[in-house]
Amino acid sequence: MTQAEIKLCSLLLQEHFGEIVEKIGVHLIRTGSQPLRVIAHDTGTSLDQVKKALCVLVQHNLVSYQVHKRGVVEYEAQCSRVLRMLRYPRYIYTTKTLYSDTGELIVEELLLNGKLTMSAVVKKVADRLTETMEDGKTMDYAEVSNTFVRLADTHFVQRCPSVPTTENSDPGPPPPAPTLVINEKDMYLVPKLSLIGKGKRRRSSDEDAAGEPKAKRPKYTTDNKEANLDRFHQHFRDQAIVSAVANRMDQTSSEIVRTMLRMSEITTSSSAPFTQPLSSNEIFRSLPVGYNISKQVLDQYLTLLADDPLEFVGKSGDSGGGMYVINLHKALASLATATLESVVQERFGSRCARIFRLVLQKKHIEQKQVEDFAMIPAKEAKDMLYKMLSENFMSLQEIPKTPDHAPSRTFYLYTVNILSAARMLLHRCYKSIANLIERRQFETKENKRLLEKSQRVEAIIASMQATGAEEAQLQEIEEMITAPERQQLETLKRNVNKLDASEIQVDETIFLLESYIECTMKRQ
């Protein structure tokens, strides 16, 4: 775990859960697994606060626990899961595009709460949707429930591990911590809900005081659900592959690849090197309705994709009109390489990018050969190579002719180690995101007084509109914020939006690099 990653985890935990949870979480990231009392002693935090902080972290899958032989329970931070909090807006937006507003709110509730029962999610989402509807209209529980079932069927939500029933019925003393298990076949099973009704609008505090019973907190149940982040990552990877094929070839090719990925999205695990083999006939039958291409044209496209040097699509047999697979590892390697090339071009210019591509193509190359092949003057080529070498985009390999390693009798070959270059760039991306978050927090803190004033004015206007105030009165309240202040608010909003957009863009690069590093490490 690098310092950049620890700093980013610290910022994310503080932003989402506050200072105490951040202190406990970062302590566990730095020290590894520790028991409860040691955490409390080392952080100088009361036992009660540590327990509450650990409850929050366990609830959100950011900390796992393990019972040792002596009955001691140790807690360990899940750093990769903490970093996934960066991607929450992207998960929510993806669900919105696939399953409309209902799906978006279901995933948002699960991410905000870590784990929730299906019935609690359905009720909350139905109530939230009802709030946004016109008076007299309500959202039916059954409609939300149907969307939830579709999300489970496509593996975007999954069942949480639970305490086995045998453990509950054991008459002996309870274990220091429950052992959670789940059967793989039950992960995407959805319980039959007996919920009947519609979403309710929020009551005012006056009505609560008049004797309306407040909703009780749901009791702990073993049937909790959570968002399946690996499935979202699989979807992002598939989208990146489809986009790359569209840029390289054409829209029809990308639609064929999209169809192949959609057919194998549930049957292929997220870490598999290839998708399941699909026959040409199956692909033809699964093409979107209204996509008018003949079987012969499809076969020509598949042959073209299989012959492409990038090898995104491979042929694995001749039965059923030809069996085809998508080489996921090759696709991720190509995407990571393209990302590195793009960074080199933006950072050092097009000539450096030409040299970088040449070294990638030739695998190992001498400085004199770089000058000749790239057709760049010797002095410039030398400067560019050394610049990329010092920034760790390239490495130098020495091959001595004699055992004494004399420079005059040694070959110096330039090469690109894509894995180490990807790791270096990933580290820089983590630093960039941490800087962006700190800048956003600074901008907000600097304008805190103005933001609070703006919120107060908006609240007054909203309450006056609800009571039917005149336009002149509303205008008078709006004028409480002066023209320079309004301009300052606009500038702040624009800056914060830019920083947010930059975070999302950097995270897209992080996702590609992480996926490539993960799949490469599994192959080694």
Side-chain angles (χ1 to χ4, degrees), residues 212 249 278:
E212 277 283 324
M249 301 179 86
L278 299 165

Side-chain angles (χ1 to χ4, degrees), residues 239-308:
Q239 292 295 96
I241 292 170
V242 170
S243 179
V245 172
N247 291 337
R248 185 171 174 81
M249 301 179 86
D250 65 357
Q251 203 60 43
T252 308
S253 302
S254 72
E255 199 55 53
I256 291 165
V257 170
R258 189 196 302 277
T259 303
M260 291 173 72
L261 287 165
R262 196 171 59 242
M263 289 167 73
S264 54
E265 64 187 359
I266 292 175
T267 55
T268 305
S269 74
S270 55
S271 58
F274 301 94
T275 58
Q276 294 293 327
L278 299 165
S279 72
S280 170
N281 296 331
E282 284 178 306
I283 297 166
F284 183 68
R285 285 195 298 272
S286 299
L287 280 170
V289 180
Y291 214 81
N292 297 319
I293 62 166
S294 65
K295 175 72 168 64
Q296 187 183 355
V297 172
L298 173 68
D299 288 339
Q300 287 172 346
Y301 266 106
L302 285 168
T303 305
L304 194 67
L305 284 161
D307 292 341
D308 188 77

